[in-house]
Amino acid sequence: FASAKDVRSKLFQRTEVTFISSATGLPEEGDDQGGLTVEMYSSFFREVVLPDFSLFEGLDGDNGSTSIGLLPSPKADESSMHAIGRILCKCVLEETPIGRGLGQFVFD
């Protein structure tokens, strides 16, 4: 694990994304001028809210389509939720959209 000081200093650094091809294992072409970062965060949050991971849940089996959105599951792994929180903070600092799904309370 990184120290708290190291995490704080990296929090304010610009995120630069390079996608790696699953077929070749080589970096894909593309210069990250913001679009690749948005795509990476969007992909992350689209996947992390999937029921398979049991990190978030809707009310009474709701899939997050209601206005309340998805809430953290009481069964969620604490370290995973801390990591998601750090990524969410990074998105807020970079003014990067995260897509829909998470409950509004996250932003309050």
Side-chain angles (χ1 to χ4, degrees):
F1 287 96
S3 71
K5 182 179 177 183
D6 188 41
V7 169
R8 278 192 298 270
S9 68
K10 289 184 178 186
L11 189 62
F12 293 99
Q13 291 178 352
R14 182 177 175 268
T15 301
E16 292 188 32
V17 174
T18 302
F19 285 102
I20 306 298
S21 169
S22 58
T24 65
L26 299 173
E28 293 181 1
E29 287 188 42
D31 184 24
D32 187 6
Q33 296 187 15
L36 296 176
T37 299
V38 169
E39 183 180 347
M40 189 260 318
Y41 284 132
S42 295
S43 295
F44 173 80
F45 282 105
R46 188 173 44 249
E47 295 290 319
V48 80
V49 298
L50 291 175
D52 301 350
F53 296 111
S54 300
L55 296 172
F56 296 92
E57 60 186 25
L59 298 175
D60 296 325
D62 177 35
N63 63 1
S65 60
T66 64
S67 61
I68 195 167
L70 296 171
L71 304 171
S73 169
K75 302 174 205 164
D77 174 57
E78 188 175 336
S79 64
S80 295
M81 296 308 288
H82 280 280
I84 292 167
R86 285 192 299 270
I87 294 168
L88 185 60
C89 287
K90 184 73 170 160
C91 287
V92 169
L93 287 171
E94 293 186 359
E95 299 179 0
T96 303
I98 63 164
R100 57 182 205 160
L102 296 177
Q104 180 62 36
F105 81 93
V106 171
F107 304 101
D108 293 339

